[in-house]
Amino acid sequence: MVVGGGIIGLTSAFRLAVAGHHVTVFDPSPAKGATWAAAGMIAPSGEIAPGEEANYELEKQALHAWREVSGLLEELTGESLVFGETGTLLVGWDASDRRQMAQFVEIAESFAAPMSTVTRNDSPEVFQGVSSRIASGVLMAGDAWMDPDQAVRLLLAGLNSLGAEIVNEQVVEVGSRDGEAIVATEAREYRGELGLIATGASGLPRGATSERHSVRPIRGATVRVQGLDRSAQPSIRAFVRGRAFYMVSRPGGYCILGASADERADAVLEVGELQRLLRDGLDVIPELETAKVLETRIGLRPASPTLEPFFERLSLSGWAWSSGHYRHGVTLAPLAARSALEFVENDS
Ligand SMILES: Cc1cc2nc3c(=O)[nH]c(=O)nc-3n(C[C@H](O)[C@H](O)[C@H](O)COP(=O)(O)OP(=O)(O)OC[C@H]3O[C@@H](n4cnc5c(N)ncnc54)[C@H](O)[C@@H]3O)c2cc1C
């Protein structure tokens, strides 16, 4: 039984179902949590942050792990996941942002991330749509993107074809009785051999506790626009007036602009926050001027105190907790799924 049908729960459930286990996923609204807001970057280099070496090492394995999942999905659904392996272009808006960028590059160098300087003169195509005031940047190879909406659609289709059940109910309590894992919703009680909690920033449901881990929500918003196809070029990451901005472009001109990061748990997008995101985007990529705004999405990233993900066998017999994926949950989902499979195959 998997409680939570975000990218972590669904990818784990899928791996378990492929391995022949009977799986039930509980979620009142699957993939409408942080997964809904995610841009879909698989960007080990672009996501480098001081002290996050462990995350970097994990993320370097992610694209290969996703390709494996994609192969399994293709066998079941006839459709494979789309990956864009275009790298990341890192730029700074003003002199102070370029200093911030230089600091980032120093940290990335200490991680031995693959990087090279790129100039507008030598590679004008890389600067497609980018403000003419930005003459150079740093190209980070190996970074990629995927489409979380497509991944969720295919994972649900794959689960369906493997006979897995999706129960659209909120879990109010989990437990353990007579060697079985118990899930209680408002409507009824379910029993299974083992249980996995993958509830993202919501943390543990009643009945389960952990002395080793905790998560807190870090809220973020992305804006979806249509009108600039930069999908053949690297995703853009920019420092703008001290803030971080990114744009991922998919074929056909669908672009995701992101992202704010605040220690709050509400799902309200404020005017000022939206204005800053769009202003930063327009400054760095003036060609967005005529792009059509499609929608905004907000999600709560599940962050652990160390900012590292965890997979914990809980003291509640038969239960494990997979969370803390913070800014990297889409990237790391197939690795979390491996831990889920290991848990079930070793404990069942
Ligand atoms: C703005 C933004 C941009 C991001 N961009 C990227 C990116 O480019 N690349 C990347 O790798 N990551 C990105 N992330 C991070 C990524 O989205 C998260 O790390 C990931 O979605 C976490 O997945 P999850 O399944 O743990 O949580 P969620 O996606 O939040 O899913 C948890 C699910 O559990 C369900 N749930 C909760 N409580 C219960 C309960 N009691 N009973 C039943 N169901 C329950 C919820 O309904 C939800 O569907 C981004 C996040 C945000 C917010």
Side-chain angles (χ1 to χ4, degrees):
M1 297 190 290
V2 177
V3 180
I7 197 73
I8 300 299
L10 290 179
T11 312
S12 300
F14 177 69
R15 278 317 285 243
L16 292 169
V18 167
H21 299 282
H22 179 71
V23 184
T24 306
V25 180
F26 298 87
D27 196 319
S29 45
K32 290 291 186 284
T35 303
W36 174 244
M41 287 177 293
I42 303 175
S45 299
E47 287 287 330
I48 280 175
E52 291 192 33
E53 286 86 350
N55 285 336
Y56 178 65
E57 292 306 320
L58 276 180
E59 286 183 52
K60 281 199 293 184
Q61 306 167 39
L63 187 57
H64 180 71
W66 264 119
R67 287 200 180 288
E68 258 177 47
V69 173
S70 178
L72 295 168
L73 288 169
E74 189 175 6
E75 277 172 32
L76 288 162
T77 66
E79 188 178 336
S80 56
L81 294 171
V82 175
F83 300 104
E85 287 181 70
T86 47
T88 301
L89 172 67
L90 184 66
V91 296
W93 172 243
D94 60 23
S96 156
D97 293 317
R98 283 191 286 279
R99 276 196 296 279
Q100 204 176 337
M101 186 174 129
Q103 283 167 4
F104 175 93
V105 167
E106 234 173 77
I107 296 162
E109 273 167 356
S110 74
F111 282 53
M115 288 178 299
S116 56
T117 300
V118 60
T119 65
R120 185 182 286 274
N121 278 347
D122 293 341
S123 310
E125 69 288 353
V126 171
F127 291 82
Q128 177 203 348
V130 175
S131 166
S132 57
R133 47 176 280 176
I134 298 174
S136 67
V138 169
L139 194 55
M140 313 197 83
D143 285 359
W145 52 259
M146 60 182 283
D147 176 355
D149 292 350
Q150 187 207 16
V152 164
R153 179 169 55 77
L154 295 191
L155 287 166
L156 287 171
L159 282 166
N160 184 41
S161 72
L162 290 165
E165 287 171 63
I166 309 288
V167 176
N168 293 122
E169 291 173 37
Q170 178 90 6
V171 170
V172 292
E173 189 164 4
V174 296
S176 171
R177 202 183 309 136
D178 306 327
E180 284 187 312
I182 311 283
V183 155
T185 68
E186 290 293 354
R188 56 167 284 203
E189 195 173 276
Y190 298 80
R191 287 157 176 268
E193 209 176 324
L194 293 167
L196 174 68
I197 298 167
T199 47
S202 302
L204 291 170
R206 204 166 68 214
T209 54
S210 168
E211 275 163 26
R212 289 174 50 205
H213 295 106
S214 61
V215 286
R216 67 185 199 280
I218 307 222
R219 172 180 156 290
T222 46
V223 180
R224 318 295 165 123
V225 305
Q226 177 72 39
L228 171 62
D229 190 342
R230 245 192 75 94
S231 58
Q233 301 306 331
S235 298
I236 294 175
R237 270 181 189 266
F239 292 106
V240 195
R241 289 174 283 266
R243 287 187 295 274
F245 166 85
Y246 62 70
M247 183 178 89
V248 179
S249 178
R250 298 206 199 116
Y254 182 91
C255 296
I256 301 159
L257 316 182
S260 52
D262 298 293
E263 300 261 357
R264 2 189 323 194
D266 59 276
V268 176
L269 181 60
E270 290 164 0
V271 172
E273 189 181 359
L274 178 63
Q275 189 257 2
R276 275 190 295 280
L277 189 51
L278 292 178
R279 187 178 59 173
D280 293 351
L282 275 172
D283 280 346
V284 176
I285 310 159
E287 271 194 36
L288 286 173
E289 175 73 29
T290 53
K292 192 162 74 180
V293 175
L294 301 175
E295 63 175 325
T296 58
R297 296 187 186 183
I298 298 192
L300 303 178
R301 305 174 183 91
S304 69
T306 60
L307 303 182
E308 285 171 20
F310 56 86
F311 190 96
E312 179 186 351
R313 284 170 168 72
L314 295 174
S315 54
L316 181 66
S317 174
W319 282 94
W321 185 22
S322 184
S323 189
H325 296 88
Y326 186 35
R327 323 190 294 280
H328 322 287
V330 172
T331 305
L332 298 178
L335 304 179
R338 284 183 193 165
S339 303
L341 188 58
E342 219 178 275
F343 163 64
V344 169
E345 308 236 302
N346 291 341
D347 287 40
S348 56

